[in-house]
Amino acid sequence: MSKKTSVLASAVLAAVLFPLLTACGGDSDSASANTKTGAKSGSNADAGSGSVDEKQEQRVKDNDAYENLLTDCMKKAGFEYTPTLGDIYAPSTAFAAISGADYELAKKYRQKYGFGGSYASLVYPNDGELKSAGATEESPNAAYQASLTESQKDAYMVARSGKDWATDNGRPKGCEGSARAEVYGSDADVDAKEKAEQEADKANELKLNGDSELVELAQTYASCLTKEGMEPSNTQPTAIGDELRLNGGGGAAAAGGPAAVGEEKSVDEAKSLLTKEIETALKDLECGKAFRAAYFPKFKENPTYGGGSGGVG
């Protein structure tokens, strides 16, 4: 199963705020809700064209059609299914603030949560604003599936994803397969669409990384971080904005950068480390203020999802 997301696939943003391509299938509700290939939404030649807003508008339209077809099909098979409609990737205020695209929102957010990682989660375990940046509630379909007996669950998945749902090759079958084919076209259509999107993504990334204004501002940003003892390992325009938040960036770990994956800390330890992380996050925001002001308008017209800041704007 091919999945292409924004870095907001990243630790916090992930999501992708601007995910491009995710083939549906499998045994989780998110699999079908995130089907976004859109093969029938335009010619393959035009698959990679369009701004973020244009792509997202089509993505929502295609997803609604897919979800409604899946609902009807499951109902005919004797099962309940609640469609996930609308802009399922619409960012919360907290989510949008993390990227730094909105300086004032980001400053307010970082003053309390730092980069919004595991330290903040330990210190503020029930904070709704923090959770809205990355957490998702259990879907009605997951709850419904959990209420079924084991034999009913198997029948549900057969209806939804085909008789080989547990061992398939990533190509959705059953109700998911029929809905996917109706909205997004054949497997060949989807593959061609995905290839075109990938090529456009790469072209946009090269364009942003070759922009002389952004390159100069990124170098100024990097120099500022280095003076603060937090030298970034990647200074390309599409990456530097997320270097400290995602990767620690040089001395950031010692200065209170994001917690390592799997790292266990007590609440008291987390409070101390969050204080340091807040300091790092605010320095990063200030160093990158001019860069982000120039970067995000250009990213919006030339979206790329290969990594770094390009996935969070």
Side-chain angles (χ1 to χ4, degrees), residues 63-87:
N63 182 71
D64 283 357
Y66 170 86
E67 287 287 303
N68 285 323
L69 286 169
L70 180 56
T71 300
D72 291 342
C73 182
M74 291 298 287
K75 184 177 181 180
K76 290 178 181 178
F79 295 101
E80 295 179 17
Y81 183 82
T82 303
T84 302
L85 305 174
D87 188 355

Side-chain angles (χ1 to χ4, degrees), residues 20-66:
L20 280 178
L21 301 165
T22 304
C24 63
D27 59 358
S28 68
D29 179 62
S30 61
S32 65
N34 290 343
T35 304
K36 295 292 171 187
T37 44
K40 283 194 174 181
S41 63
S43 69
N44 291 327
D46 296 331
S49 63
S51 68
V52 167
D53 290 341
E54 292 169 336
K55 287 173 178 289
Q56 185 64 4
E57 182 180 355
Q58 185 61 55
R59 213 169 280 127
V60 171
K61 181 179 178 181
D62 289 345
N63 182 71
D64 283 357
Y66 170 86

Side-chain angles (χ1 to χ4, degrees), residues 225-309:
L225 291 176
T226 300
K227 289 179 182 178
E228 295 288 352
M230 301 175 290
E231 184 175 1
S233 59
N234 190 337
T235 61
Q236 289 190 311
T238 57
I240 191 171
D242 281 337
E243 267 296 290
L244 299 191
R245 185 174 63 80
L246 299 182
N247 304 319
V261 176
E263 185 178 21
E264 294 184 7
K265 297 291 182 183
S266 68
V267 175
D268 287 340
E269 287 177 310
K271 287 180 179 178
S272 177
L273 290 167
L274 178 59
T275 298
K276 294 179 181 179
E277 184 180 303
I278 289 171
E279 181 180 353
T280 299
L282 290 173
K283 287 179 179 179
D284 172 69
L285 184 65
E286 292 303 323
C287 284
K289 184 177 181 180
F291 167 78
R292 291 186 174 95
Y295 176 81
F296 282 104
K298 293 184 179 184
F299 164 77
K300 194 169 185 179
E301 293 305 313
N302 300 280
T304 178
Y305 309 91
S309 299

Side-chain angles (χ1 to χ4, degrees), residues 8 12-15 17 88-98 109 113 116 121 124-137:
L8 352 257
V12 183
L13 300 161
L17 177 56
I88 64 175
Y89 294 112
S92 65
T93 299
F95 191 96
I98 298 170
Y109 184 90
Y113 305 115
S121 296
Y124 303 107
N126 300 310
D127 191 298
E129 185 178 8
L130 179 62
K131 287 186 175 182
S132 70
T136 56
E137 296 181 359

Side-chain angles (χ1 to χ4, degrees), residues 202-215:
K202 185 175 181 180
N204 286 344
E205 184 175 6
L206 289 172
K207 185 175 182 179
L208 290 170
N209 286 332
D211 185 292
S212 59
E213 179 190 17
L214 295 182
V215 170

